[in-house]
Amino acid sequence: MTRKILFSLVLLATISLTAQEKKWSVEANYPTSIGDDLGNDNPAIIDLGLKYRFLEIGFARLGAGINAGVFRDDLRTFADGETFDFDETNWVIQPKVFMEFKIPALEKLRPSIGLGYTAITSKFDGDFPGLEEGSSETSTDGGININLGLSYDITKRFFIQAQYDYIQYNIENPGLSDIEQDLGFLKFGAGFRF
């Protein structure tokens, strides 16, 4: 009987300590494109993220994460005697490694820095001059991503955050010179740790 009680207490303590670490988090953000235009600088819909913290080093935690966002616009313009009528959708996938810092005097505030890659898949559906009506075109390009973030704990599990992503974006143009752009996303959102 004593062994069962002791085992139960050890198991309960282990679960409690593990639950306090909160290695996982999910987040939902509203991104705004700043810097060079993303495609036709179309508006954002949402950005969702998942993070896992796997190593604690003093006052810092090292982790890996991924964000996925969607930007979409319906463009109808008439320029130089040509009609453009198409839908543009950009899917943004951002895997990264990050370091989150604990500030002893400000326990609820957590700055972070991350490094990763951003892949952007752009799809255009509609009418383009010089192409057949109702055509569709898809391209995928990407670049290195640097992320700076700041979160504030509302409770032990729920937080709000702001983050900035700088992307050195490379667009490959077959037969032409490649285009380099400096993209930026400013994201505001909330998340849950578990």
Side-chain angles (χ1 to χ4, degrees), residues 104-192:
L106 303 168
E107 290 183 19
K108 292 187 173 195
L109 204 58
R110 297 181 189 213
S112 65
I113 187 167
L115 179 65
Y117 185 82
T118 296
I120 301 175
T121 299
S122 302
K123 184 175 182 183
F124 303 92
D125 288 319
D127 299 329
F128 304 93
L131 297 174
E132 72 177 62
E133 194 171 315
S135 62
S136 178
E137 185 176 316
T138 302
S139 66
T140 301
D141 296 294
I144 298 297
N145 177 20
I146 297 172
N147 173 272
L148 299 173
L150 185 64
S151 67
Y152 180 79
D153 293 343
I154 301 297
T155 68
K156 289 183 180 182
R157 294 186 179 266
F158 184 72
F159 62 93
I160 57 174
Q161 70 178 359
Q163 55 185 320
Y164 173 72
D165 288 308
Y166 168 78
I167 300 126
Q168 181 66 50
Y169 185 57
N170 301 308
I171 301 172
E172 295 180 15
N173 284 324
L176 302 171
S177 62
D178 292 348
I179 300 171
E180 287 190 6
Q181 288 184 302
D182 295 323
L183 297 180
F185 298 125
L186 189 58
K187 302 176 185 179
F188 297 98
F192 183 78

